[in-house]
Amino acid sequence: MDNITIRQGETLFLSCSQGDFVTHTAWLNRSSILYAGEDKWSVDPRVSLVTLSQEEFTIKIEDVDVTDEGQYICAVQTSSRPRTTSVHIIVQVPPKIVNLSRDLVVNEGSNVTLMCLANGKPEPAIVWRMKSPSDDSLSSDSEVLDIPFISRYRAGVYECTAANDIAVDTQTVELTVNYAPSVSDGRDVGVTLGQRGVLQCEADAVPEADFEWYRDDRRIFNGLDGIEIEAAGALSRLTFFNVSEADYGNYTCVAINKLGSANTSFVLYEIIEPTSSTLLQGPGAVQDGNSGTSTVFNPFCLLIAILQLLLKF
């Protein structure tokens, strides 16, 4: 008995030779008659007659499925003796992932299990891997991928691949890891009186953090006293459009999400611009507190005066 391997969905042709003096001929599957000569016995619309002649008897089965797998027999009755030819049909099925974990949102530190189940024939091999960002160290050659105590760096897209000799099926799962905010160290900013000043706060958090700004222990609100607060994703800016003496001091940025908060401090300090008179005076100038004029100190003149006093003695 011969074996014929065919892929699911293809068309199967079954043929046997006839010869002279054939009185009856039939194709059977599991003792059920498909065709007896030109007469169709099967009720399956996929089965049809291709050729019936003195040389051959051929039928076809379209859109083959796994239920068509098994033994098929061509029975030929001649005037002298009966003759049979049999063939075993093996239907191969491409893999199909039928059960996959949904996209997940978990908190940092949780234990995560991803599941991937697939059908196919031959039975498909299943492989898990971290696709984006790519990490070859995080993979599994089974239906289950366990990630204990997950960190924020394990967030991303995970890919399940089911493969056999026929084809490959691939699906992905997105894993989001929530974590409490952390903020970059605040940078002190010096601004000249009357100029524009900006304090910038950056936070890393999932979900994205909300920001609050404080002057000492008093919360600052947008639009108050000529101050603007704007947030864009991971950044928040506190802008002073016309810095006054009252604006100089200590400020705190607080980043908050549902898992926690973090803060950092800033100092807005004054920068004194040099005046034109200060720029004209040299490094040896001494300020006269009474007249407001400057006298240049000359060390050479002092030396001559000391020598004159010594000569008098």
Side-chain angles (χ1 to χ4, degrees):
M1 182 172 58
D2 295 330
N3 290 330
I4 296 178
T5 300
I6 187 170
R7 295 185 180 184
Q8 185 183 43
E10 294 182 343
T11 299
L12 172 66
F13 289 89
L14 297 172
S15 180
C16 67
S17 60
Q18 297 295 282
D20 298 331
F21 311 111
V22 172
T23 58
H24 298 88
T25 184
W27 269 107
L28 303 89
N29 176 22
R30 304 186 194 91
S31 73
S32 298
I33 299 175
L34 301 177
Y35 261 90
E38 294 182 345
D39 298 328
K40 181 179 179 180
W41 287 45
S42 172
V43 295
D44 192 336
R46 300 174 302 133
V47 180
S48 61
L49 177 65
V50 177
T51 303
L52 178 58
S53 66
Q54 191 174 0
E55 288 77 26
E56 67 173 287
F57 178 28
T58 302
I59 65 172
K60 69 178 180 179
I61 305 174
E62 298 178 283
D63 193 20
V64 170
D65 201 356
V66 288
T67 55
D68 299 315
E69 191 170 82
Q71 186 178 15
Y72 289 79
I73 299 172
C74 177
V76 177
Q77 178 67 51
T78 67
S79 57
S80 58
R81 61 184 179 83
R83 182 179 77 246
T84 60
T85 302
S86 62
V87 60
H88 187 80
I89 304 301
I90 300 171
V91 180
Q92 293 184 324
V93 181
K96 182 176 178 58
I97 295 173
V98 294
N99 191 354
L100 184 73
S101 296
R102 297 181 180 180
D103 293 345
L104 292 176
V105 178
V106 299
N107 293 337
E108 191 169 37
S110 302
N111 296 325
V112 175
T113 298
L114 300 180
M115 175 77 70
C116 180
L117 301 177
N119 293 333
K121 189 176 181 181
E123 184 176 349
I126 294 179
V127 175
W128 275 104
R129 73 181 184 95
M130 189 174 183
K131 181 180 180 182
S132 176
S134 180
D135 186 350
D136 294 335
S137 67
L138 191 58
S139 62
S140 171
D141 293 333
S142 68
E143 298 172 340
V144 175
L145 175 63
D146 289 318
I147 312 173
F149 307 107
I150 192 166
S151 74
R152 65 192 68 181
Y153 308 108
R154 297 300 193 187
V157 177
Y158 289 78
E159 180 182 77
C160 172
T161 300
N164 63 12
D165 298 338
I166 311 303
V168 175
D169 189 20
T170 300
Q171 293 191 33
T172 59
V173 174
E174 184 169 0
L175 183 56
T176 301
V177 179
N178 292 333
Y179 53 91
S182 60
V183 293
S184 303
D185 291 337
R187 188 177 66 179
D188 297 343
V189 175
V191 182
T192 303
L193 196 65
Q195 299 300 309
R196 180 174 178 270
V198 179
L199 302 179
Q200 182 168 289
C201 182
E202 184 175 1
D204 178 26
V206 175
E208 286 186 344
D210 295 321
F211 292 91
E212 295 178 358
W213 285 92
Y214 292 84
R215 169 72 186 274
D216 297 324
D217 293 329
R218 180 176 60 88
R219 185 173 176 183
I220 304 169
F221 293 94
N222 188 40
L224 185 66
D225 300 329
I227 295 175
E228 180 183 77
I229 299 174
E230 56 181 344
L235 291 176
S236 179
R237 294 182 180 87
L238 180 66
T239 302
F240 305 83
F241 290 101
N242 186 4
V243 173
S244 66
E245 289 282 358
D247 293 326
Y248 297 122
N250 298 317
Y251 293 83
T252 301
C253 168
V254 181
I256 306 167
N257 71 6
K258 63 183 181 180
L259 296 181
S261 64
N263 65 79
T264 187
S265 298
F266 303 80
V267 176
L268 183 70
Y269 62 90
E270 183 178 6
I271 294 179
I272 307 296
E273 285 190 344
T275 63
S276 57
S277 60
T278 305
L279 293 173
L280 291 173
Q281 295 174 9
V286 178
Q287 187 74 27
D288 187 335
N290 296 322
S291 64
T293 61
S294 298
T295 303
V296 177
F297 175 73
N298 193 330
F300 184 70
C301 294
L302 178 60
L303 180 59
I304 292 176
I306 294 172
L307 290 174
Q308 289 176 345
L309 289 173
L310 292 174
L311 289 175
K312 289 180 179 182
F313 296 99

